[in-house]
Structure formats: C-alpha cells, structure tokens
Amino acid sequence: MIQELSQQIEETARAVVDEIHTALPGTIVAFDSESGTATVKPNGKYMTADGKSLDYPQIMNVPVTFPFSQTVGVGIAFPVGKGDSCLIIISEVELDGWRTGAESEGSLRFDLTSAICVPGLLKSGKKIISKACQSSAVVLGSGNVEVLVSNIGVVITSRNTKMTVSDAGVSISGNLKVDGNISSTGMITP
C-alpha cells in the first residue's frame, strides 16, 4: 500500500514537472522587425502523459531580446532571419502584464505562450568568437568589415583598409579621402 502510494505520488510529481517549460533551443521561422517579435520552433520532442512523442508547436508573437536600453535609446541590434538558431526562454509568469501593462487574467506559469527569444545560439564556435576570446576584445563584424575594441585600442578593418586608434595615435593603412578642412596644432610631416 505504501509503495503504491509512493509510486502514485512520484508519477503525479513527474506529470506536473513535465508540463513546466524553462528553456529550449529553437529555430526562428519568421521575424517581424517592426514589432520585434518572431515565430519560433522549439527543437526536440514533447512527451505526452501517455508516452507519445510529439513535435513542439511553433510559437508566435515571441518578443526577441537585444542588448538595449529603452530609457536612453542605446543598444546593439543585428539582423535576425528565418533559420537562425535561438534560445527560447519560457517566462515564469505570463507576459500579458509586461506587454500591455494590464494585469493578466490567466495563471499560465512556465507556458510556451510566454516565450522569449534570444537570437544567436550557436551550434559550434565561430571565427568572430575565437578572435574575441584570443584578443580579450569586443568584435563586431559584418561581411568584410570588422571593428575590434580592446584595452589596446580600436581597430577598424575593411578589406585592404585598416584604421587603428590607440594611445600612440591614429594610424591608417589604405587610402584616405577627406571632404573638408584638415587642421593641426602640431607639425604635419609627410
């Protein structure tokens, strides 16, 4: 009798825990840059209470997070596209109150409908990440253009042109075109 009760409690607890979603890897199906929301598809399978394995459904109108301060309007944004990997975080509370400012009428906790998307989940290391780690730097890249910011200075590279800003000054390798005046308080040497 006690063993049956213990087994029933364990099964009930497992069923409850199986309905709690926390975080999942996923794929972006569509992104709306105007609303800042995406349709995402969690990877993996969902196990039903009766043991069936089902694909997770697509989740629509998922807010996408970027490092950004709305109060001062400063941040980093980058393109997000169909097929990009992401981390889907499931909020402990419904997002209705956060989205609208109104109190939520439901009590869905850890529900897939309260998902938040963090783009940029990588399946393997990328060149830009290796460079950032090796240089102890922040590296921004877009195609053939790269900006590297480290405690040594800032290096901007675009194909065959390179500009370095450091304590030693500014050096440019490549062509320099100036539209306007150049003034100096020191001596200009060739």
Side-chain angles (χ1 to χ4, degrees):
M1 171 99 171
I2 291 189
Q3 187 169 351
E4 290 174 4
L5 178 61
S6 175
Q7 179 70 28
Q8 185 62 41
I9 290 171
E10 184 178 328
E11 288 175 9
T12 301
R14 186 175 313 277
V16 170
V17 169
D18 285 348
E19 290 299 317
I20 297 174
H21 304 284
T22 55
L24 303 152
T27 303
I28 295 173
V29 176
F31 178 65
D32 180 355
S33 61
E34 291 298 315
S35 67
T37 61
T39 298
V40 297
K41 175 80 169 82
N43 297 122
K45 300 281 186 179
Y46 172 77
M47 296 298 290
T48 63
D50 59 358
K52 290 182 183 174
S53 177
L54 303 172
D55 287 333
Y56 280 100
Q58 289 185 5
I59 310 168
M60 300 174 63
N61 298 316
V62 177
V64 177
T65 181
F66 291 95
F68 198 85
S69 170
Q70 289 179 325
T71 57
V72 293
V74 174
I76 298 171
F78 48 85
V80 174
K82 179 180 179 178
D84 285 346
S85 292
C86 64
L87 177 63
I88 302 168
I89 300 173
I90 309 302
S91 176
E92 180 177 344
V93 297
E94 289 182 85
L95 297 179
D96 296 350
W98 170 76
R99 287 181 194 248
T100 64
E103 284 206 32
S104 175
E105 294 180 14
S107 60
L108 296 174
R109 294 176 50 87
F110 298 103
D111 190 75
L112 290 177
T113 59
S114 293
I116 299 167
C117 175
V118 182
L121 182 63
L122 302 175
K123 294 179 182 176
S124 63
K126 300 292 181 194
K127 182 180 171 185
I128 195 169
I129 295 170
S130 295
K131 188 168 202 170
C133 292
Q134 291 168 357
S135 305
S136 295
V138 173
V139 180
L140 304 173
S142 179
N144 293 317
V145 178
E146 178 183 277
V147 178
L148 185 142
V149 180
S150 70
N151 62 352
I152 297 170
V154 177
V155 179
I156 302 170
T157 307
S158 179
R159 295 188 193 254
N160 298 324
T161 302
K162 181 176 181 179
M163 181 172 83
T164 304
V165 179
S166 66
D167 288 344
V170 177
S171 67
I172 298 173
S173 172
N175 296 326
L176 176 64
K177 180 181 176 185
V178 178
D179 186 11
N181 298 325
I182 296 178
S183 60
S184 170
T185 57
M187 185 163 74
I188 297 177
T189 57

